[in-house]
């Protein structure tokens, strides 16, 4: 498995410094948060995109994915959601990134089937655009669809290779799903896995990997047992928790912890 970290942990950091952190601490790739407050987002010019792609390429660091905020199960017209996804797909293509992350975002006050159907319809359309650009859209286990069982209700009906799943280990754990259950549900669709750690279900402030309660060892063991060889991406939610320790000082120990888990599961 290859290791990456998300720029959610270093909000606003210039890309050159992001690349320097990855190379200094032995990470193979980076997930770029595609938000307007970040240095690179869907509003970036062709020149800015080319410069960023060249920067990562020269350092030998891969852009794993573009983490967008489109909510595919949210109520409303399809057009704005599809246009948001298409903008993310174009950015990913220009950076040479294989994945785009989207959220579910269904309205809890509406029938569950309605959100599932809306998400499946939009992903089915957007997957054709993704295929044309050589990118996969990944529905993250998050908010209204936090478990693998939730995500598969959408991805099963879509049935398109360019629409897959992103396994966020915190949300599946909060949803009461065991790692083996999540893997069984998502395996045919799994793009990559976001790892993290927290103190408890009540306190989700990000912690160094291995310092909290999330079943990281079990997740890695399940993936290894099934010969899965994709990416583990550390999503440290510093942007939402200003009091959390700065990520740069944790990256080295985090990589070492993941290396130990991988070695133990081999």
């Amino acid at each position: 498995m290859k290791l990456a970290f998300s720029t959610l942990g270093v909000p606003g950091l210039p890309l050159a410094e992001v690349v320097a952190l990855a190379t200094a601490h032995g990470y193979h790739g980076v997930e770029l948060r595609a938000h307007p407050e970040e240095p690179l987002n869907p509003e970036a010019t062709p020149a800015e995109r080319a410069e960023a792609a060249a920067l990562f390429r020269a350092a030998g660091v891969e852009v794993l994915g573009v983490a967008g905020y489109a909510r595919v199960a949210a109520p409303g017209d399809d057009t704005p959601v599809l246009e948001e996804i298409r903008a993310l797909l174009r950015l990913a293509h220009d950076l040479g990134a294989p994945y785009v992350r989207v959220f579910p975002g269904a309205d809890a006050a509406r029938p569950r089937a309605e959100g599932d159907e809306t998400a499946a319809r939009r992903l089915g359309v957007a997957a054709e655009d993704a295929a044309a650009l050589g990118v996969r859209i990944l529905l993250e286990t998050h908010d209204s669809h936090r478990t693998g069982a939730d995500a598969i209700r959408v991805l099963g009906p879509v049935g398109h290779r360019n629409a897959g799943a992103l396994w966020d280990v915190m949300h599946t754990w909060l949803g009461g799903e065991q790692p083996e259950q999540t893997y069984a549900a998502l395996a045919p669709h799994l793009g990559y896995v976001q790892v993290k750690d927290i103190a408890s279900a009540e306190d989700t402030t990000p912690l160094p990997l291995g310092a909290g309660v999330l079943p990281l060892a079990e997740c890695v063991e399940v993936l290894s047992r099934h010969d899965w060889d994709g990416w583990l991406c550390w999503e440290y939610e510093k942007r939402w928790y200003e009091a959390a320790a700065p990520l740069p000082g944790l990256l080295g120990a985090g990589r070492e912890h993941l290396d130990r888990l991988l070695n133990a599961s081999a």
Side-chain angles (χ1 to χ4, degrees):
M1 299 180 210
K2 293 191 286 187
L3 306 180
F5 65 88
S6 168
T7 55
L8 185 63
V10 284
L13 193 69
L15 291 181
E17 296 180 43
V18 171
V19 169
L21 285 174
T23 55
H25 297 291
Y27 286 81
H28 308 97
V30 173
E31 178 194 77
L32 293 179
R33 177 175 180 251
H35 190 278
E37 64 189 21
E38 295 295 341
L40 194 70
N41 58 64
E43 298 300 316
T45 66
E48 290 169 333
R49 295 167 187 235
E51 181 181 357
L55 177 67
F56 279 92
R57 188 165 55 248
V61 177
E62 297 182 50
V63 181
L64 166 61
V66 169
Y69 290 88
R71 286 168 163 75
V72 295
D77 293 339
D78 289 356
T79 299
V81 178
L82 291 171
E83 285 305 309
E84 185 176 358
I85 296 172
R86 287 166 180 148
L88 294 166
L89 290 170
R90 290 191 292 270
L91 178 60
H93 170 267
D94 293 346
L95 296 174
Y99 302 115
V100 158
R101 186 278 306 279
V102 298
F103 284 147
D107 185 343
R110 293 173 178 253
R112 188 177 79 170
E114 179 182 314
D116 293 346
E117 292 165 6
T118 298
R121 181 179 66 249
R122 290 168 176 167
L123 284 174
V125 173
E128 294 294 334
D129 299 302
L133 292 170
V135 180
R136 290 185 74 200
I137 307 168
L138 301 183
L139 178 67
E140 183 172 328
T141 54
H142 195 272
D143 57 79
S144 62
H145 291 66
R146 71 185 345 169
T147 66
D150 293 329
I152 201 65
R153 296 200 314 269
V154 172
L155 296 172
V158 175
H160 197 297
R161 190 192 178 283
N162 289 80
L166 197 172
W167 177 5
D168 181 320
V169 302
M170 180 182 76
H171 284 282
T172 54
W173 179 79
L174 289 172
E177 201 170 60
Q178 297 300 312
E180 183 65 53
Q181 295 173 310
T182 304
Y183 181 82
L186 298 183
H189 310 278
L190 188 57
Y192 63 97
V193 179
Q194 283 180 345
V195 296
K196 58 187 70 173
D197 223 338
I198 57 173
S200 68
E202 294 72 35
D203 182 3
T204 56
T205 304
L207 294 176
L209 294 180
V213 298
L214 293 185
L216 301 181
E218 292 90 335
C219 290
V220 171
E221 192 277 328
V222 166
L223 294 167
S224 296
R225 178 156 36 88
H226 291 281
D227 296 321
W228 189 81
D229 62 354
W231 288 83
L232 301 178
C233 178
W234 186 6
E235 188 189 47
Y236 185 81
E237 298 185 346
K238 173 66 173 175
R239 175 63 184 86
W240 314 127
Y241 297 88
E242 293 185 8
L247 178 62
L250 306 176
L251 282 170
R255 182 191 54 76
E256 291 169 3
H257 183 72
L258 292 174
D259 283 341
R260 285 194 296 272
L261 295 184
L262 289 167
N263 289 333
S265 65

